[in-house]
Amino acid sequence: MIRRVGGTFRFGEFELDVAAFTLRREGIPVRLEKIPMEVLVLLVEGAGSLVARESIHAALWGPDVFLDRDAAINTAMRKIRKALGDDVDRPRWVETVVGKGYRFVGQIVPETTDPQRQVALYRLTRGTHAFALQHGENLIGRDPDVHVFLDHPSVSRRHARISITVGRVMLEDLNSRNGTSVDGHGITSPTEVHDGTIIGVGPITLTFVSLASVASTRPMSGRVGPPGAGRP
């Protein structure tokens, strides 16, 4: 059984949410299978300390599971490095201690869990549907992997992008087939949006909402589409 410290850890352009078991790069989800994710969590939670291969094996599989642990750990590490874009010879994030194990060498910024912390919340809304937005890039479109999924045939697979940085939110059309608009005007270059801005994604109209609130950062989800439409 793996002990979870919990919380969210930021390192460089990455964000590891232990509770949600997700890794994001500049706000975009990074695909990582269960075992590599478990190993990454162990390394990040023990940042700066050596995590022995024996410790990884014991935490993930225990004494009663028999497998080629060296091969399993090696495979997990390859997948972690691929996800992080890390170089084994010049590590930015994970250092190999030959014959011993691994050490996370990146600078970790743990997220505060203070429930009274004032945070900025950003959403796109349409009727009763709401999509929570996060800092970094938020892709909008019909591709099932985008952050804001709009299941409508007139919406391009990767239609537009909202980029959120400190104090600024920019909307950009991604060469979509039916265009993106701000308050009824089509855009051809990145355009700043504010609370209450009406965003047109092809025929779909969304409202951008920004508010400061004592709130949970638990993600919301939603979908917009023709009646009976389902996500593939």
Side-chain angles (χ1 to χ4, degrees):
M1 181 66 68
I2 296 177
R3 179 181 63 85
R4 293 256 185 251
V5 173
T8 300
F9 299 88
R10 295 181 185 276
F11 47 99
E13 65 273 29
F14 294 96
E15 180 182 279
L16 177 66
D17 187 331
V18 177
F21 207 60
T22 58
L23 176 68
R24 294 180 181 274
R25 180 174 187 170
E26 296 181 341
I28 305 301
V30 177
R31 293 185 183 276
L32 198 57
E33 296 169 10
K34 181 179 184 297
I35 294 302
M37 182 70 82
E38 297 278 16
V39 175
L40 179 60
V41 169
L42 286 175
L43 293 171
V44 170
E45 289 183 340
S49 301
L50 173 67
V51 179
R53 294 175 71 91
E54 291 78 8
S55 298
I56 295 173
H57 183 267
L60 267 62
W61 298 290
D64 300 325
V65 176
F66 300 96
L67 78 165
D68 186 342
R69 69 179 185 182
D70 287 334
I73 293 173
N74 290 344
T75 297
M77 292 307 304
R78 282 196 299 272
K79 292 180 177 179
I80 288 171
R81 287 199 169 94
K82 181 178 180 181
L84 299 180
D86 210 11
D87 186 336
V88 66
D89 296 319
R90 296 181 179 179
R92 179 187 179 195
W93 303 119
V94 181
E95 175 185 68
T96 299
V97 181
V98 179
K100 297 291 186 180
Y102 305 92
R103 179 184 293 113
F104 193 90
V105 294
Q107 182 176 2
I108 295 289
V109 181
E111 287 286 285
T112 178
T113 56
D114 180 359
Q116 298 302 310
R117 180 171 61 97
Q118 293 290 323
V119 297
L121 296 180
Y122 304 96
R123 301 176 184 172
L124 289 178
T125 65
R126 182 176 187 253
T128 59
H129 298 279
F131 302 88
L133 303 176
Q134 60 205 0
H135 283 269
E137 294 186 347
N138 298 265
L139 292 175
I140 305 171
R142 193 162 46 85
D143 190 313
D145 290 331
V146 302
H147 190 75
V148 179
F149 175 70
L150 303 177
D151 191 10
H152 192 287
S154 294
V155 173
S156 297
R157 294 185 67 82
R158 290 178 175 247
H159 195 108
R161 174 170 53 221
I162 288 184
S163 300
I164 299 177
T165 57
V166 177
R168 196 175 194 194
V169 182
M170 303 296 292
L171 174 69
E172 179 182 3
D173 182 73
L174 299 178
N175 296 315
S176 65
R177 186 173 65 252
N178 292 309
T180 303
S181 65
V182 168
D183 292 330
H185 301 286
I187 62 172
T188 57
S189 61
T191 302
E192 191 166 3
V193 298
H194 305 277
D195 183 41
T197 294
I198 304 301
I199 297 174
V201 181
I204 302 295
T205 300
L206 305 168
T207 302
F208 177 76
V209 179
S210 172
L211 62 150
S213 174
V214 177
S216 164
T217 55
R218 182 177 63 184
M220 301 171 61
S221 63
R223 63 184 350 188
V224 179
R231 189 169 180 169

